[in-house]
Amino acid sequence: MSYDALLSPFRLKHLTLRNRVMMTAHVTNMAPLHVPSDQHVAYYRDRARGGIGLIVMGFPSVHPAGTNNVQEIAGYDPRVVPGLRAIADAVHEHDTPIIAQLGHAGRQGNSAYTMLPLMAPSAIPCPLNREMPKAMEPEDLDEVVEGHATTAAHVREAGLDGVEIHSAYGGYLLSSFLSPYMNERDDEYGGDLEGRMRLPLRVVRAVRERVGPDYIVGMQINGSDFSPGGVDLPEAQVIAQRLIATGALDYLVVKGSTYFVAHQNVHDWQNPRALWLGLAAGIKEAVGDFPVFAVGRINDPVEANAVIERGQADMVAMTRQHIADPETVRKLIEGRPEDVRGCISCNQGCLDMLPKGRHITCVHNPAAGYEAELGLGTLRRAEAAKDVVVVGGGPAGMKVAETAARRGHRVRLLERRDRLGGQVRLASNVPGRHEVGEVVRYLETQVRKLGIDVRCDVEATADGDDLEGADVVVVATGSRPVRRLIGVRSHQLEDVDGLELSHVHTSWDLLEGGIEPTHDVIVVDDGEGSWKALSIASHLARSGHAVQLVTPLPFVAASLGPYSIGPYMQTVFELGIVTHPFSIVRRVTESAVELTKEGRPVTLEHAGSVVLCGWHEPVADLYFDLKARGATVLRVGDAVAARTILHAVHEGERAARAI
Ligand SMILES: Cc1cc2nc3c(=O)[nH]c(=O)nc-3n(C[C@H](O)[C@H](O)[C@H](O)COP(=O)(O)O)c2cc1C
Ligand code: SF4
């Protein structure tokens, strides 16, 4: 496979970028004091070390009211300069230019962090954060223009290579002025395109004036708002041409969507790959040789290479891909594409951390956000090589095995099933969820390449021979579904009668046991509100079953991240799945499920099959047996408490480093 186009250099103004791969701006939530931190330095340094051509860091906000993350960099404050300089120095050491995005979140900001009103062209609330913004007055506009210029000056003073003006994603301030979907002003900043472009153009000119002619100034625009009455591609092409005509810009990044279609902002695996590529290509067509950068789930290097070959863009951003694997480019250069840890577009470890106020990480790269401790070059060989036996070949066990082997230990990996992968392999077999299988593919590849002694179909016991010779045993035996509804305890019920009946199954009975439910199925979520019940329900509905989905939560996808809920609920509606929110299962009989729904008794008749998609319990007998015998034994992942891939992989990494 050739990546020649992708790995070829690109001239951006006075800079020669060593390849066509970049990261677009992404908030990392690593600035608890609103100034760049050592965590930022370590994070960006590792990305630069991995060989990427260009990094855009996100997003120093240009005004206090423009903040939308709790630990965001306050770009308008001169105190950010030393920290930005430390980032620039670290990244430059590895020959990677770095640009800072200048952002104002507009009506998509968060006043809980600032106690300031949100700002917007018109008083129209954002559908995602549901807070009424202030329609900006002329002096507010002046402040925003000055905020961009001041922040740009701070970035330049700190030694970064450029700035990028954020005018994408609709509700972010500048793009909301461009979009008739949000801009209903009747003054000179609204109305026709000339009026709607007035503020963005003022910002572009002010920034250019402040940083001077020899500095890179880029801009991020929407190729389409995908929102009613918003900017579409033909209008975006005109916008792009007028922006370039200022002579003040050096490149454009092209995105799409607004928070009206929030799930498309940072689209997860439910959305098509390369969702915005047509927009970038359309803008490229309109602007000729002017540099245009494409982004948006172009996480397959083969596709990224093809984008450059086809001339659809000059650079390709693989943003989350570099959160998942900062060494993507180096591995491609070295001809090791199989070692690239592919981003699975789940958002669980990165984007979904932001509303939780947490810094980003990655479900299968434990080093992301923890670079100082776990990043490139931190893994040390063990002082004494030990015989390590890992029991359980799911993500937790495979991660332990991989990391322990890299440290020089002799590792044996035992798995009771006939293949490695554990529950993640089961999940990846659910139609539509195959991308999660990349976690298993990556780890399995490493386990094989490292020559780890893998033994499948082995049910290890404390008395058997399988653990013989082990200096350390790591129990990663995962979890299994319980045939109980633990969640009902939150509703003061002792237990639910009827779960022992033969037509009541667990999710595993279907996924692994090959049980084929009857036509009418009632799927029960026990208050987890996550992918499990949703995936099973939609899989069954797609295969022609009549599905009802019961949950005690206000809606069935209540625990999914805000950027994932939309498409999933849409799927539920389109498949005709009948949902029963606020519903607690009281009793299962031969033909019905009795609920308390919204406080009232309700009976669901024709319950041919009932599928429990409830909580799991750890499988940890081996751990307790070994512990009782005084063996050196560790426990990781679901065998400790049933949680997610993120916990499994992170714990696996740390356990192996402790051996
Ligand atoms: C954690 C996170 C934070 C982000 N923050 C920003 C941001 O501050 N500004 C911005 O323009 N885009 C932001 N994005 C969007 C990315 O720039 C990019 O458009 C998105 O990740 C899709 O590209 P990818 O599929 O290559 O990751 C963010 C994405 C993530 C995952
Ligand atoms: S958490 Fe998921 S989406 Fe984010 S970088 Fe990791 S694999 Fe990609």
Side-chain angles (χ1 to χ4, degrees):
M1 187 58 63
S2 155
Y3 302 102
D4 289 352
L6 190 65
L7 299 177
S8 65
F10 179 68
R11 185 94 185 149
L12 177 63
K13 204 169 173 109
H14 53 277
L15 295 177
T16 302
L17 310 179
R18 56 186 158 167
N19 54 58
R20 310 290 188 109
V21 186
M22 66 181 290
M23 290 182 98
T24 45
H26 53 294
V27 169
T28 53
N29 240 356
M30 293 177 183
L33 303 175
H34 307 294
V35 293
S37 61
D38 292 346
Q39 194 182 13
H40 278 114
V41 175
Y43 173 81
Y44 288 115
R45 178 192 285 128
D46 269 13
R47 268 84 212 151
R49 267 185 188 164
I52 196 165
L54 174 68
I55 295 174
V56 182
M57 64 172 288
F59 85 43
S61 61
V62 301
H63 190 278
T67 303
N68 72 340
N69 282 290
V70 66
Q71 305 200 94
E72 203 158 273
I73 297 171
Y76 51 84
D77 184 336
R79 288 179 306 151
V80 299
V81 172
L84 287 177
R85 186 173 297 123
I87 295 173
D89 290 348
V91 168
H92 287 157
E93 251 179 57
H94 300 280
D95 295 330
T96 306
I98 181 162
I99 287 171
Q101 190 177 56
L102 312 175
H104 190 302
R107 69 176 197 170
Q108 292 171 187
N110 194 325
S111 69
Y113 303 146
T114 64
M115 286 299 141
L116 294 167
L118 302 180
M119 296 286 164
S122 308
I124 305 172
C126 164
L128 194 71
N129 71 3
R130 301 179 296 275
E131 179 173 330
M132 182 57 83
K134 173 188 176 189
M136 293 172 81
E137 296 176 69
E139 50 279 23
D140 297 323
L141 301 177
D142 295 344
E143 273 186 33
V144 161
V145 174
E146 178 53 31
H148 278 86
T150 305
T151 306
H154 293 157
V155 173
R156 176 156 198 168
E157 189 186 341
L160 280 83
D161 301 276
V163 290
E164 176 185 291
I165 299 164
H166 188 345
S167 181
Y169 288 150
Y172 283 79
L173 190 69
L174 299 186
S175 56
S176 64
F177 270 81
L178 287 174
S179 177
Y181 163 62
M182 279 157 286
N183 184 346
E184 292 183 344
R185 294 177 80 95
D186 53 13
D187 67 2
E188 57 183 338
Y189 290 93
D192 61 9
L193 187 56
E194 196 181 335
R196 286 183 277 122
M197 285 194 73
R198 197 173 305 278
L199 181 66
L201 284 173
R202 275 187 67 191
V203 168
V204 168
R205 291 194 179 103
V207 167
R208 172 55 74 198
E209 203 170 292
R210 195 68 58 93
V211 296
D214 57 342
Y215 199 61
I216 291 174
V217 179
M219 189 150 182
Q220 178 171 271
I221 61 166
N222 259 8
S224 170
D225 287 344
F226 299 131
S227 302
V231 171
D232 57 10
L233 181 57
E235 189 171 46
Q237 289 174 318
V238 178
I239 291 172
Q241 286 163 343
R242 292 192 191 177
L243 287 169
I244 292 168
T246 60
L249 292 176
D250 299 306
Y251 71 85
L252 292 174
V253 176
V254 182
K255 292 188 174 174
S257 81
T258 70
Y259 276 13
F260 175 74
V261 277
H263 60 277
Q264 291 179 349
N265 274 244
V266 183
H267 29 300
D268 72 8
W269 55 268
Q270 298 174 88
N271 299 275
R273 287 181 181 239
L275 184 66
W276 303 323
L277 181 57
L279 304 178
I283 297 293
K284 183 75 190 156
E285 246 175 65
V287 301
D289 286 343
F290 189 83
V292 171
F293 304 164
V295 58
R297 215 153 113 66
I298 312 177
N299 41 358
D300 174 0
V302 175
E303 171 63 6
N305 190 68
V307 169
I308 302 295
E309 273 180 348
R310 293 191 293 255
Q312 290 170 299
D314 299 289
M315 298 277 293
V316 176
M318 302 176 77
T319 305
R320 283 171 292 175
Q321 176 53 43
H322 278 80
I323 301 175
D325 192 344
E327 295 180 287
T328 300
V329 169
R330 178 185 307 149
K331 290 172 180 175
L332 295 180
I333 292 171
E334 290 174 0
R336 302 188 284 128
E338 73 281 5
D339 290 339
V340 172
R341 194 169 36 235
C343 166
I344 60 171
S345 304
C346 64
N347 283 344
Q348 283 171 265
C350 53
L351 191 73
D352 290 349
M353 288 295 176
L354 302 181
K356 294 177 183 162
R358 194 73 187 130
H359 67 77
I360 62 168
T361 182
C362 171
V363 290
H364 70 141
N365 176 16
Y370 299 93
E371 281 74 15
E373 195 187 346
L374 307 177
L376 302 181
T378 61
L379 196 66
R380 301 267 172 266
R381 280 192 82 76
E383 279 171 21
K386 292 183 181 161
D387 287 298
V388 177
V389 178
V390 182
V391 185
M398 283 198 283
K399 194 70 195 176
V400 175
E402 179 202 8
T403 307
R406 288 193 197 286
R407 296 191 59 223
H409 293 304
R410 295 173 295 272
V411 182
R412 202 184 318 153
L413 176 59
L414 311 179
E415 165 57 40
R416 75 174 172 85
R417 293 186 174 96
D418 61 355
R419 299 181 71 182
L420 296 175
Q423 289 184 63
V424 176
R425 191 182 291 284
L426 293 185
S428 69
N429 289 337
V430 176
R433 296 236 50 201
H434 61 278
E435 283 189 57
V436 72
E438 168 62 11
V439 175
V440 173
R441 188 217 55 87
Y442 167 79
L443 284 169
E444 198 170 358
T445 303
Q446 302 313 304
V447 161
R448 305 275 177 206
K449 284 180 88 167
L450 287 161
I452 289 166
D453 176 6
V454 178
R455 301 182 191 176
C456 291
D457 293 312
V458 173
E459 185 92 49
T461 60
D463 294 318
D465 303 338
D466 303 302
L467 307 181
E468 215 171 82
D471 296 313
V472 182
V473 177
V474 184
V475 175
T477 38
S479 63
R480 65 184 153 227
V482 283
R483 283 185 76 91
R484 290 173 54 207
L485 291 173
I486 302 174
V488 295
R489 297 207 162 237
S490 316
H491 304 278
Q492 285 121 30
L493 250 193
E494 271 303 303
D495 243 325
V496 177
D497 287 338
L499 299 184
E500 72 293 347
L501 292 170
S502 61
H503 67 300
V504 179
H505 313 293
T506 68
S507 51
W508 280 23
D509 293 338
L510 270 63
L511 293 176
E512 220 183 3
I515 295 274
E516 183 54 37
T518 54
H519 177 70
D520 296 289
V521 189
I522 295 181
V523 175
V524 181
D525 165 45
D526 194 19
E528 219 176 341
S530 70
W531 296 109
K532 206 186 298 164
L534 288 164
S535 299
I536 296 272
S538 44
H539 171 44
L540 291 172
R542 279 199 185 93
S543 338
H545 294 270
V547 181
Q548 302 190 63
L549 178 46
V550 175
T551 179
L553 302 173
F555 61 102
V556 294
S559 302
L560 300 190
Y563 303 94
S564 296
I565 290 172
Y568 225 106
M569 290 308 287
Q570 194 59 35
T571 306
V572 165
F573 300 146
E574 279 168 13
L575 291 171
I577 296 170
V578 178
T579 63
H580 298 279
F582 293 116
S583 296
I584 299 139
V585 175
R586 297 270 160 189
R587 194 159 80 101
V588 177
T589 67
E590 291 290 348
S591 61
V593 173
E594 295 170 12
L595 311 175
T596 299
K597 181 176 180 183
E598 294 163 358
R600 283 189 291 278
V602 169
T603 300
L604 306 181
E605 307 287 357
H606 310 299
S609 297
V610 176
V611 181
L612 305 180
C613 294
W615 301 94
H616 281 206
E617 64 185 2
V619 176
D621 294 349
L622 178 65
Y623 167 77
F624 287 111
D625 281 356
L626 292 170
K627 192 178 171 195
R629 293 167 193 218
T632 306
V633 58
L634 303 170
R635 187 162 62 131
V636 293
D638 272 18
V640 178
R643 290 152 296 158
T644 65
I645 303 172
L646 185 144
H647 300 98
V649 173
H650 279 237
E651 277 173 23
E653 173 79 22
R654 285 173 189 276
R657 284 177 182 246
I659 295 170

